[in-house]
Every structure is written in structure tokens, then in C-alpha cells.
Amino acid sequence: MQGSPVAAPVDVVAAPRTQTGFSALEWQVVAIAQHDRLSSLEKPGKLATALTMIFGGQRPNPELADSRLEALRRLAVHAWHRGYTVPRAAIRAFHEAGFTIEQYETLLASISRGRAALNQGKRA
């Protein structure tokens, strides 16, 4: 990581929104969420915690420091895995983070197209 650029909070806040209502950073969060497992949304259980204490190591924490982006990530992870079947709590957190219904619809439509493209690629 030496020599790689680091984004300052000013860079993150100043990111302009696109026509779809999401900034480039927010779309990156959605893209990254595609590779996150549903288990990334849960706290480690007692067994996982015990194994970590015994064998060492640490499970990487996938949560984002920015609560707004974390709400977006959580909704996107659900959508990538379950399509339009998103838990109400994730939708509520998404809206409470300041996202609109239009952004919710844009996000689900985009992920749905991405899922369809992936499925077609697997069948070919």
C-alpha cells in the first residue's frame, strides 16, 4: 500500500452525484457489495469468536466507517443475493441514511440487470 493515494474525507464528501442520484463512490460500494457474502451482514457468532481467540487471526470487518455508505452496502448485498426480496429493515435503514425511493428503485433495477447478465454468462 506504500505510495498509493489515500482519499481524504473532503474527497469523499465532494463526490458529485450522477444522473441516477448516486455518486461514483456510491456506485463503487454497490460493485464491491456484489462480492460480499450475506454473512458479512452479521456479527460473528460465539463459535467464530472462540476460534479466533484460540487460533488467533481476525475476521476482516466488512463494515464501512461511513454509516450512509454502510446502509447502501447492506441493501446492495441483500439485492445481489436475493434480488427484489430485500428485508424491510435494510430498506428502512437505507431511507434513514438519506437515500430516496428513486435511488432505491434505481439501485434494484441496476442490480437486477447485473444479476441477469451474470446468469446469462454462466449459461453460455
Side-chain angles (χ1 to χ4, degrees):
M1 301 239 323
Q2 190 174 12
S4 62
V6 177
V10 172
D11 299 327
V12 174
V13 173
R17 301 210 180 282
T18 62
Q19 295 177 17
T20 60
F22 290 108
S23 69
L25 175 63
E26 290 165 340
W27 279 121
Q28 285 180 331
V29 168
V30 173
I32 291 168
Q34 177 183 357
H35 303 289
D36 287 350
R37 296 178 178 200
L38 283 171
S39 63
S40 73
L41 303 177
E42 302 168 1
K43 299 284 183 205
K46 291 180 182 180
L47 179 60
T49 303
L51 290 173
T52 299
M53 290 178 72
I54 293 169
F55 296 109
Q58 190 172 347
R59 176 183 171 200
N61 183 357
E63 286 187 24
L64 301 175
D66 183 284
S67 61
R68 178 177 164 86
L69 293 177
E70 178 60 14
L72 174 62
R73 183 191 78 84
R74 295 178 76 78
L75 185 78
V77 168
H78 281 295
W80 278 113
H81 287 278
R82 298 180 174 158
Y84 286 95
T85 311
V86 177
R88 288 182 184 176
I91 299 169
R92 190 176 320 109
F94 181 77
H95 290 301
E96 288 173 357
F99 292 102
T100 65
I101 190 71
E102 290 82 11
Q103 288 173 308
Y104 172 75
E105 292 170 351
T106 298
L107 177 66
L108 290 186
S110 175
I111 290 175
S112 179
R113 285 189 304 271
R115 286 169 44 103
L118 287 173
N119 288 335
Q120 285 182 357
K122 288 179 183 175
R123 290 183 185 143

